[in-house]
Amino acid sequence: MGQGLWRVARNQQLQQQVFNDNFLNRENGRRFISTSSTNLNHRKQIQGGMDIYHLLKARRSKEEQGFINLEMLPPELSFAILSYLNATDLCLASCVWQDLANDELLWQGLCKSTWGHCSIYNKQTPPEFSFRNLYMQLDEGSLTFNANPQEGIEYFMSRGILDDSPKEISKFIFCTRTLNWKKLRIYLDERRDVLDELVTLHNFSNQFLPNALREFFRHIHAPEERGEYLETLITKFSHRFCACNPALTRELGLSTDAVYVLCYSLILLSIDLSSPHVKNKMSKREFIRNTRRAAQNISEDFVGHLYDNIYLIGHVAA
């Protein structure tokens, strides 16, 4: 009996010792994990602090260094960098790099990139001539033209920028993109001699008819309403297109009257396909039938290609 009680007490003592050992092991494991994570976070904080320190140090060094001094670069590289600036930015750059930003070659490039042709470009200029001043005059004259076309042209002539001839004025208009197209349309409607010279500057050789018409209306904008001015533009375009493509017109049997009819058909088709108010769009078969009814000598395939061009590319006078 005494031995049995002794064995029970001994077993309970062993179980309690095993429980205590397991508990201590778990606590030590938790402490180890906690200590390891704490050390890892500490290392991350130290590393993050080092990264931020280096970033702030690099940023501080860049701020102290500032923007690169263009005067320290080779002149060719400095001019190449400044050539990307517009007139406003170039004027601001002249406050820092006066000799570089006021260079005549830079301002000459700005003038000729905006106003491609001026009579003064081909003249002998006086020693005090400056392309920077010329740019200011061209800009002021363009603003004057956009308010009153006749006064704008007179401004250019009074300062010797343009010669008083239809050919020079037409070249100026053809190579300039700063003129308001509505004011330009009014001016060309009044100056038909300038309009004639402007049409002759276009080269439609080896161009498909709708593409040539788009290029024409890109320089000479079509009026918003059908009238005498639109008929004049299409007539002049038809003659110029046939003059630039004599072999093509002979091969297709095109005359100036036939090109005139096709141009009107292309304009009407462009309106029909692009207008949201037209619900029932003209089909290719309808276009071929209506066009060949007005111009019988034109082949069906050629008229079909005209329809495909408008359908895929879009309006000829947009």
Side-chain angles (χ1 to χ4, degrees), residues 106-316:
L106 292 175
W107 287 99
Q108 181 181 1
L110 280 177
C111 290
K112 292 189 176 182
S113 62
T114 309
W115 300 273
H117 177 82
C118 293
S119 303
I120 198 172
Y121 293 161
N122 302 319
K123 294 180 180 179
Q124 186 68 29
T125 55
E128 65 274 9
F129 174 80
S130 170
F131 274 100
R132 179 174 179 173
N133 295 334
L134 177 62
Y135 184 95
M136 305 304 173
Q137 293 177 352
L138 286 169
D139 187 59
E140 183 178 355
S142 298
L143 294 175
T144 305
F145 183 95
N146 294 337
N148 189 313
Q150 190 61 39
E151 291 183 2
I153 296 297
E154 292 176 356
Y155 176 92
F156 291 129
M157 293 179 182
S158 63
R159 283 155 179 78
I161 299 175
L162 273 181
D163 292 339
D164 187 7
S165 70
K167 189 173 183 178
E168 286 296 309
I169 297 174
S170 63
K171 288 182 179 180
F172 174 79
I173 294 174
F174 186 80
C175 301
T176 302
R177 298 293 177 268
T178 60
L179 304 180
N180 183 274
W181 63 272
K182 292 184 178 180
K183 298 296 183 179
L184 181 59
R185 187 178 61 193
I186 295 174
Y187 179 78
L188 293 176
D189 192 14
E190 297 175 351
R191 292 290 304 269
R192 297 299 176 91
D193 54 345
V194 177
L195 178 60
D196 292 337
E197 294 291 342
L198 186 59
V199 171
T200 59
L201 294 176
H202 291 82
N203 183 13
F204 301 127
S205 299
N206 300 321
Q207 290 192 26
F208 195 37
L209 180 61
N211 298 333
L213 195 58
R214 287 190 187 92
E215 181 183 342
F216 180 75
F217 284 133
R218 192 176 297 120
H219 290 93
I220 307 174
H221 291 271
E224 298 175 355
E225 298 179 356
R226 188 184 308 177
E228 186 269 337
Y229 181 61
L230 179 60
E231 295 178 358
T232 301
L233 291 181
I234 297 178
T235 301
K236 294 182 181 299
F237 170 81
S238 302
H239 285 84
R240 183 60 182 170
F241 183 83
C242 292
C244 293
N245 299 279
L248 179 64
T249 54
R250 286 195 303 268
E251 180 182 352
L252 298 176
L254 294 177
S255 62
T256 55
D257 294 335
V259 174
Y260 180 92
V261 172
L262 291 176
C263 290
Y264 252 116
S265 299
L266 291 173
I267 293 175
L268 295 177
L269 178 63
S270 300
I271 297 174
D272 183 272
L273 296 181
S274 61
S275 176
H277 303 291
V278 180
K279 302 302 180 182
N280 298 323
K281 304 296 184 182
M282 184 183 300
S283 65
K284 186 175 182 179
R285 181 175 298 179
E286 292 174 340
F287 177 74
I288 294 174
R289 184 180 65 248
N290 296 336
T291 303
R292 294 196 67 196
R293 188 179 300 169
Q296 301 177 358
N297 296 330
I298 304 174
S299 66
E300 182 175 340
D301 292 338
F302 180 75
V303 180
H305 292 323
L306 296 178
Y307 182 93
D308 295 337
N309 184 279
I310 303 300
Y311 184 83
L312 295 174
I313 299 179
H315 207 301
V316 292

